[in-house]
Every structure is written in structure tokens, then in C-alpha cells.
Amino acid sequence: MRLCRSLNDYPEAVIDAAKSMPTAYPPPHEKVWCIMGNELFGDGVGKTVSPELYAADVKKLRNIIDKLYRGNVSRPSLVAPDSFYDKGRKEIPRFLDASGKSVDVITRHIYNLGPGLTETKDLISKVLNRSYAQNEIVHYKYLQNVLKEHSKTSAWVGEAGGAYNSGHHEVTDAFIFAFWYLDQLGTAARYNNQAFCRQSFVGGFYGLVDADFNPNPDYYGALLWRQLMGSGVLLVDIHGGVNEIRAYAHCQRSNNGGLSLLILNYSNSTKYLLDLNLLGYSSPGNFTTGEKCQEDECLTSSKASSSEVRLEYHMSAANGTVTSRIVLLNGQPLLVTPSGEIPTLSPVKVNSTSPISLAPLTYAYVVIPNANAPACTTR
């Protein structure tokens, strides 16, 4: 992602922005996003301004960009306001009405777990408490409904670290945080957000990599998402009264007709046996049924035979310690090679008729390459 030169956090600076903007634009094949401001209205931090003032300066910036890129079909997208806002707040509708067609992307921030200074056990409890995720879904839905009246404007999560004040060591940089981060990725896609910007790639305790550029566990979760989950999003319906399983289904990336699923087990004690029930493959449709299983049952595969296989990537914490910064893929630790290379992320092949066994506090990506899902098939 490439950003325009910083204009300062305060939108009034746009008045003199033309003096600091580049005199030439990058080659047409490069995509440019111009992001203006940071947490300047709604529940902002520090100084806030009215939506109407913000919109007026956004329109000035739009005019500057259009002049610089006149004649170029690949003009930069203008992104704003990068702030907090909740259901029922009127700032975003007012901002959109006042800015007209100047804004291409509406962004918001997510730090719904509170300060990173929270005690470790309390912050982990928040990560696993589904009420925090459910409350955030309300805000996703609200923004989705607002943007229905502004069809040319898309939604992004512009900054999301879960816990502000730089996160929390052994939580936001540990295996356990996948149950916040990956769940938010799935939810954002479900409600038509086109991008999700993790706070941060490097820096603080919520970076995807540490200060020495060693990957934290969420780096590998994000990498698998990027490799496996395509842009087509399908609805998952979980039956059997299971509240501890979260699941997301997408068309498989780069494989026509394939399906990819992300499944997370929030229970700290129960292993689940999951049967896939692909009902029509429509979007939306029902995808999974879940039932509790006994330890010996979870290890028993279906007796049905099939030549079809699915690919499974089971992710767990080293030694079962959820505060660990070492993540296991199918039981093997993911470690950077001596030459500094990211390890290969290899799945296990499983008979497609067998149930998915998901251990407590683990998650898995499951790929069905030969699903031939009509919703994921290009004709």
C-alpha cells in the first residue's frame, strides 16, 4: 500500500496541501491511496472537528488530487476519516452527505478490548468472550447500512489492534490473539469490508512481526488467510447448539470452484467433531454442523471411502500454552529458517468424508479443492 505524503493530522492543513504534494504521479500500474486525518471525529483522541469541516477540506484535497492526475485513469482513492464511530452516531452520515462524491473509502478503527494495560488473564478473557465480537458486529452492520445510500463508497477497517496503548505482551503478540484477529478478518469480509489494516505490521506488542522482524503467531494466520481465502464470501450456519465454534467460508483463492473455511474453537476444554454439510453452495448458504464429541470419538474417521481429499491446516500453541509466541502447524513449530526464510506452510491431506476434529483453543483452515461450488465457479 502506498500513501500520499502526510498532510498533518488536522484537516485544516489541506488548504496549503498543494505546496507539499508531489509534482508527478507514480506509474499507472501502481495503486495509490490518500488517507487524510486520524481519529478527528466521533470518539476521537485529542482534538476533534465537525463532520462538515472535515468534509470541506476533504473536497479540497479531492480537487488537488484530480488536478495532479488529470488525464490518468488510475487516480488515487481518497480514504477518510480513520476514526471511531458506533451505531446511532450521526457523524458518518453527515460527513458523507457533506463530502458528496469526494470520498472513495470510509475507514474506522477497532480497539474494542480496551487498554493494553489490562491484566493478562483479564485481556485473554475478553478475547474469548463472544460478547465483545457480537457488539462489534453491530457496528459492522451499521456502517454497511449507511453505505447502501452511497453505493460508490466502500468500507475498510483502517486500523485494528484490539487493545490500544500498544497492545499487551503475551496476548496481542501471542497465539491466543488469533481468536480476536482472525475472527475480525472473517467478520469484516462478511460485512463487505474491502481491506483490513492490522495495527501494526511492526511496532508495539500488537505487531505481526517483532522488532527483529521475527513473525508473531498472527503473521502465519494472516499469511494462510491471504493464500487460501478468496474474495467470494459465503455464509456459514452452525447447527447443534454450539456457541464455541466460529466458522467462515470463502471461495478458494486461485482455484475455480474450490472452497476454503476458517474454523475456530473457543472452548478451553472441549474437542469438537465437525461434519461439513454443503447445502447447495449458494451465497449465502449453510455450511457446517457441529456436535460435541468424546476424546475417542474425535479421533475416529468416517468408515465411508472416497478418493476425494481435503486439505487441513491445524494451528495450535506450543506446549498448549496460549500465551506462547510459537505456533504449531499440524503439530510442527513454524520457525524462520537459518537463512531468514519463512517456513513452508504445508497442509495434511484428509479423506473428504471424515469429520473435522478441532482440539480446544485451536483453529484450522480447511480447503476443499474439488467442491465444485456454483457460487465459486466462473462460467
Side-chain angles (χ1 to χ4, degrees), residues 214-232:
N214 296 306
N216 284 322
D218 280 350
Y219 178 93
Y220 294 108
L223 183 57
L224 283 171
W225 177 283
R226 181 66 178 83
Q227 292 177 351
L228 304 175
M229 306 290 273
S231 58

Side-chain angles (χ1 to χ4, degrees), residues 329-340:
L329 170 58
N330 296 321
Q332 299 300 313
L334 292 175
L335 302 172
V336 174
T337 68
S339 60

Side-chain angles (χ1 to χ4, degrees), residues 33-51:
W33 290 269
C34 293
I35 301 179
M36 179 183 170
N38 181 58
E39 299 177 356
L40 286 171
F41 70 64
D43 294 326
V45 177
K47 183 177 180 180
T48 59
V49 298
S50 72

Side-chain angles (χ1 to χ4, degrees), residues 81-155:
D82 240 23
S83 193
F84 302 97
Y85 32 91
D86 300 331
K87 179 184 178 182
R89 298 289 292 261
K90 302 301 182 183
E91 287 92 344
I92 286 299
R94 286 168 55 191
F95 172 72
L96 286 167
D97 290 340
S99 60
K101 298 180 180 180
S102 298
V103 178
D104 301 296
V105 178
I106 289 291
T107 52
R108 69 186 189 93
H109 292 182
I110 304 177
Y111 290 94
N112 60 331
L113 301 179
L117 299 176
T118 305
E119 291 290 332
T120 299
K121 63 180 180 61
D122 294 332
L123 193 55
I124 290 176
S125 178
K126 289 182 177 181
V127 169
L128 298 177
N129 186 333
R130 293 302 305 160
S131 66
Y132 287 87
Q134 290 300 123
N135 289 339
E136 200 58 43
I137 287 174
V138 173
H139 306 321
Y140 280 110
K141 288 181 177 179
Y142 171 65
L143 184 57
Q144 185 182 50
N145 289 332
V146 168
L147 293 184
K148 287 179 180 179
E149 300 179 8
H150 301 268
S151 59
K152 294 186 178 180
T153 305
S154 60

Side-chain angles (χ1 to χ4, degrees), residues 213-378:
F213 293 96
N214 296 306
N216 284 322
D218 280 350
Y219 178 93
Y220 294 108
L223 183 57
L224 283 171
W225 177 283
R226 181 66 178 83
Q227 292 177 351
L228 304 175
M229 306 290 273
S231 58
V233 182
L234 301 101
L235 185 62
V236 178
D237 193 7
I238 301 174
H239 299 282
V242 177
N243 297 319
E244 296 168 319
I245 295 292
R246 296 291 294 172
Y248 300 94
H250 286 219
C251 297
Q252 184 185 357
R253 185 179 295 273
S254 303
N255 181 30
N256 195 30
L259 291 175
S260 296
L261 298 98
L262 166 64
I263 311 172
L264 304 102
N265 182 2
Y266 282 77
S267 173
N268 61 8
S269 60
T270 303
K271 182 179 287 188
Y272 281 94
L273 186 68
L274 300 171
D275 291 317
L276 295 179
N277 188 8
L278 307 181
L279 303 180
Y281 311 103
S282 61
S283 178
N286 297 331
F287 269 82
T288 69
T289 60
E291 296 179 355
K292 290 185 179 180
C293 59
Q294 301 300 317
E295 183 75 16
D296 55 344
E297 294 175 337
C298 290
L299 300 177
T300 302
S301 299
S302 170
K303 295 181 180 179
S305 62
S306 174
S307 60
E308 299 294 338
V309 298
R310 65 173 182 261
L311 310 177
E312 296 187 0
Y313 303 76
H314 287 263
M315 307 291 276
S316 58
N319 300 316
T321 305
V322 295
T323 55
S324 173
R325 292 180 57 205
I326 302 297
V327 60
L328 308 182
L329 170 58
N330 296 321
Q332 299 300 313
L334 292 175
L335 302 172
V336 174
T337 68
S339 60
E341 300 295 322
I342 297 297
T344 301
L345 306 182
S346 300
V348 292
K349 295 182 179 180
V350 180
N351 187 302
S352 63
T353 61
S354 63
I356 299 169
S357 178
L358 203 59
L361 290 181
T362 66
Y363 68 91
Y365 285 95
V366 178
V367 179
I368 310 170
N370 299 316
N372 295 318
C376 299
T377 301
T378 302

